[in-house]
Amino acid sequence: MKRILFVLFAATTASVSARTAAAQQGYEFEVYGTDVKQPGVIELELNTNFVAAGPKLVDAEFVPTNHMLRSSFELGAGLTRWLEASVYVLGARQSSGPSSYVGNRLRLTAVLPSTAGSPFGIGVTQEVGYARPGFAEDRWTYELSPMVSASWGSLDFVVNPAFERALDATEPHSVEFEPRGKIARNFGDEGSIALEYYSSLGPVTAFEPRSEQNHQLFASFEKELHERWEFALSYGHGLTDASDRSVIATRVEYKFHR
């Protein structure tokens, strides 16, 4: 399985010409928890979101996101009881224009096995990303994000204080701070409602002015429809001028054993 994931990632990224590019964000709205897939479990996941209201002006560097449909297709697999790997393909479609290939990501997640009965979980996820020009600030990026979770009755708390750095910048590049988190209330058989937060604050040494920061709040609903299928629906609202003001997102997951 490790070899298959590597080949998929290499094949999709090698087919794209190496041009200057630029923070692929907004293709997956998900706060990473401290549970990983069991060995032998494979998961297909499709994240899709529609920007109902976003920036309309054409920027010299970036494609405007207003009325853009964005998607992320993930193939993930459990490697051990504490380690999993995922490869992503990202795509987008503007309100007027053809669908576009955006880039790829390769993610490796490790968690610390929890003690029986402990309400806390700890882990770390690492991600290497590639993006085409116009869709992100840098062509190649590396993200490191600790994952901390806690459960209290029917409530779950998860925090991902993510740090991202460009790998191919021609000038010195700062480490960007992009924290995200979630508060969820579980109900019934594998269902939950949650409030999720996503942000991009700028370099850790000096945050951007608030008007240039990205802050978004999402209200989400998640339900396991079958032991193999899971569905999530969420609505996000941007809190600053730099954020997409209104986003509708869905996530569909399908699991099976190899």
Side-chain angles (χ1 to χ4, degrees):
M1 179 53 60
K2 295 180 184 179
R3 181 176 298 176
I4 293 175
L5 291 173
F6 175 79
V7 170
L8 283 173
F9 179 75
T12 51
T13 54
S15 64
V16 182
S17 60
R19 295 179 290 175
T20 58
Q24 47 181 339
Q25 299 171 345
Y27 294 86
E28 178 196 36
F29 291 103
E30 185 174 2
V31 180
Y32 299 135
T34 54
D35 294 322
V36 295
K37 303 170 189 64
Q38 293 301 303
V41 173
I42 299 175
E43 181 179 272
L44 303 178
E45 179 176 309
L46 177 63
N47 284 269
T48 304
N49 70 80
F50 175 69
V51 183
K56 300 178 182 180
L57 297 178
V58 177
D59 188 278
E61 293 184 79
F62 302 106
V63 175
T65 60
N66 188 58
H67 290 177
M68 179 181 283
L69 183 66
R70 302 177 293 200
S71 64
S72 167
F73 179 74
E74 172 191 356
L75 169 63
L79 304 181
T80 70
R81 296 184 62 184
W82 55 272
L83 185 68
E84 72 174 32
S86 300
V87 60
Y88 299 75
V89 178
L90 310 181
R93 181 181 178 85
Q94 294 177 261
S95 56
S96 59
S99 300
S100 301
Y101 162 74
V102 174
N104 293 87
R105 295 176 182 173
L106 181 64
R107 182 164 63 93
L108 192 65
T109 302
V111 299
L112 184 67
S114 60
T115 305
S118 173
F120 301 103
I122 298 175
V124 63
T125 184
Q126 301 179 77
E127 185 173 289
V128 175
Y130 168 85
R132 288 182 58 216
F135 292 97
E137 199 174 302
D138 301 286
R139 184 174 58 147
W140 290 96
T141 58
Y142 168 74
E143 181 183 281
L144 174 68
S145 178
M147 305 178 302
V148 181
S149 67
S151 298
W152 181 35
S154 62
L155 296 178
D156 290 338
F157 305 87
V158 185
V159 178
N160 298 163
F163 300 88
E164 183 180 277
R165 190 182 191 285
L167 297 178
D168 65 337
T170 56
E171 300 177 358
H173 209 284
S174 302
V175 175
E176 306 279 326
F177 186 43
E178 301 177 354
R180 49 187 179 260
K182 178 174 74 172
I183 301 175
R185 186 184 187 282
N186 302 310
F187 65 88
D189 184 18
E190 299 297 328
S192 69
I193 55 175
L195 184 64
E196 302 173 356
Y197 168 73
Y198 302 88
S199 67
S200 179
L201 307 183
V204 294
T205 53
F207 289 165
E208 300 285 356
R210 179 172 172 78
S211 61
E212 298 179 19
Q213 296 177 7
N214 189 319
H215 296 268
Q216 290 177 290
L217 282 178
F218 276 74
S220 69
F221 165 80
E222 186 175 309
K223 187 71 172 69
E224 184 179 274
L225 304 177
H226 183 271
E227 62 180 8
R228 293 178 181 270
W229 290 94
E230 188 171 294
F231 174 77
L233 173 67
S234 62
Y235 172 77
H237 178 69
L239 306 179
T240 60
D241 292 339
S243 310
D244 289 329
R245 303 298 291 177
S246 180
V247 180
I248 302 169
T250 64
R251 184 175 75 251
V252 179
E253 300 176 5
Y254 176 72
K255 298 179 182 178
F256 60 94
H257 289 77
R258 62 185 175 90

